[in-house]
Amino acid sequence: MTPEISSQIATAVTLLRAGKTIAFPTETVYGLGADISISSAINRVFEIKERPSNHPLIVHFSQISQLEHWAQEIPNAAWQLAEHFWPGPLTLILPRTHHVSLDVTGGQSMVGLRIPNHPIALALLNAMGPEKALAAPSANRFGRISPTTAAHVFDELGHTVDMILDGGSCKIGLESTIVSFKGETAIVLRPGGIPLTKLAEVLNEEVIFSEGEKSNIRVSGSLNSHYAPLTPLEVWPATSLWKRSVELKTQGFHPMLLGWSTIFMSREKNKDFSYFSMPSEPTAYGSQLYATLRRFDNGQYDRLLLEAPPNNPAWLAIVDRLQRASCVPFIKA
Ligand code: TXA
Ligand code: MG
């Protein structure tokens, strides 16, 4: 940690204690942080994000030994996941203690908790002191793409946020995996940074992603039109992608094509189209997805055409985000 970053963290702590909001980097995406014990600061987070007040915020803290300060009736399965994956891209939904106010949980008895794996986030949380935590939704306006650089945060929120800590590009680039529990059974509400297969390995049983579950529990990411660029986005298998782009071009559109496969690449030489090659490996693809969507969501194109990701568990989080970003029914590869 450079002296400059350390001094910025000290300033951030002073501001947070005064009820201000600070954007900070995590390994997944940038968060918009506020001290959970200051209700005016929590209200400000909802205001800045233009987020409905019944959508719960994730509570970030730094020491696993503090988990029981924030949550109670913790299933063994939750302890196993916490011990294995924290700090990391995992959010656990657990019954809250009275230390977490209903403002933070959107009125629910459950709270989302996470220890992020980023040196700046951890230094900031440690500097806040014990029994302190930061509510931190992604630092974007409601419904938009999460920011993965400090510049994206500024583009989203400008001067409405009191300070932005710059930690460069987020390594994972997609939000955390959210897990809730029915007894000892883990249920994924939002696929993310940790693949379901990894959770299953640790728990030694199958873990499911329950889309049905999401509609009962208020997960804002479950709304359609979430994680969306301003430019309409369509997803097509490689074989239909080029046909669709020709169709759009004849109607006078200027589409940008984003593909990842060798089928897509073999068509790249077609000079009449704007196209961009994404990585064909899901971790690398995920880390670049939001930054790439932002880059081409610049008014130069009037349609983003994405090649459908493979229908394979390693791509689940990416499929999920593209389904929500797509303006037409998503067609699987
Ligand atoms: O990777 C991440 O999780 C990032 C970084 C900043 O940590 N945060 C993030 O927060 O994505 P946000 O607020 O944009 O999305 C959090 C999701 C929302 O869909 C919210 O509804 C859900 O977590 N959530 C939070 N608390 C919950 C609860 N008690 N029950 C159900 N869902 C909850
Ligand atoms: Mg978000």
Side-chain angles (χ1 to χ4, degrees), residues 44-299:
R44 182 75 186 129
V45 168
F46 283 101
E47 200 176 277
I48 292 174
K49 274 190 67 96
E50 297 164 21
R51 180 172 180 157
S53 62
N54 62 356
H55 284 275
L57 306 177
I58 295 178
V59 170
H60 296 66
F61 64 112
S62 62
Q63 306 290 337
I64 199 166
S65 57
Q66 295 261 305
L67 178 57
E68 283 167 298
H69 186 74
W70 309 114
Q72 54 192 334
E73 297 157 43
I74 302 168
N76 286 329
W79 279 116
Q80 276 176 281
L81 294 179
E83 275 158 12
H84 197 275
F85 293 108
W86 280 350
L90 172 73
T91 296
L92 299 178
I93 306 293
L94 296 168
R96 72 180 177 109
T97 64
H98 69 276
H99 298 294
V100 182
S101 72
L102 291 170
D103 302 350
V104 173
T105 65
Q108 301 185 62
S109 59
M110 309 296 274
V111 58
L113 292 160
R114 167 163 126 81
I115 303 184
N117 187 15
H118 191 290
I120 294 180
L122 288 170
L124 179 67
L125 290 161
N126 281 326
M128 289 294 291
E131 304 188 350
K132 282 287 174 191
L134 296 177
S138 50
N140 51 279
R141 276 170 298 124
F142 189 62
R144 299 290 327 281
I145 302 170
S146 298
T148 55
T149 68
H152 296 164
V153 176
F154 189 75
D155 291 345
E156 283 287 321
L157 306 177
H159 293 290
T160 57
V161 55
D162 297 300
M163 183 178 184
I164 302 173
L165 290 171
D166 189 346
S169 293
C170 301
K171 228 167 150 181
I172 292 181
L174 293 174
E175 301 82 354
S176 60
T177 300
I178 302 183
V179 179
S180 73
F181 299 88
K182 229 181 212 148
E184 286 292 334
T185 305
I187 299 162
V188 169
L189 301 182
R190 178 179 73 182
I194 299 174
L196 270 58
T197 46
K198 288 254 173 78
L199 301 175
E201 268 171 38
V202 170
L203 296 176
N204 207 12
E205 60 184 28
E206 204 196 345
V207 172
I208 55 157
F209 168 36
S210 172
E211 307 209 42
E213 200 70 28
K214 283 190 304 186
S215 52
N216 300 328
I217 302 176
R218 282 180 235 120
V219 177
S220 63
S222 69
L223 297 175
N224 285 334
S225 89
H226 224 78
Y227 308 107
L230 296 174
T231 312
L233 181 155
E234 299 179 16
V235 180
W236 298 91
T239 45
S240 338
L241 194 71
W242 292 94
K243 210 172 95 202
R244 177 66 180 147
S245 45
V246 172
E247 196 176 279
L248 283 169
K249 272 220 146 179
T250 50
Q251 291 169 18
F253 284 92
H254 299 283
M256 169 49 99
L257 280 70
L258 300 171
W260 56 270
S261 72
T262 47
I263 306 176
F264 175 81
M265 251 77 105
S266 65
R267 301 292 298 270
E268 272 196 359
K269 294 195 179 59
N270 196 327
K271 296 258 186 315
D272 294 340
F273 292 93
S274 304
Y275 55 80
F276 184 78
S277 290
M278 295 287 289
S280 58
E281 189 280 317
T283 312
Y285 186 109
S287 74
Q288 291 177 29
L289 177 62
Y290 288 163
T292 308
L293 291 180
R294 267 178 200 278
R295 172 171 164 199
F296 296 119
D297 190 21
N298 59 2

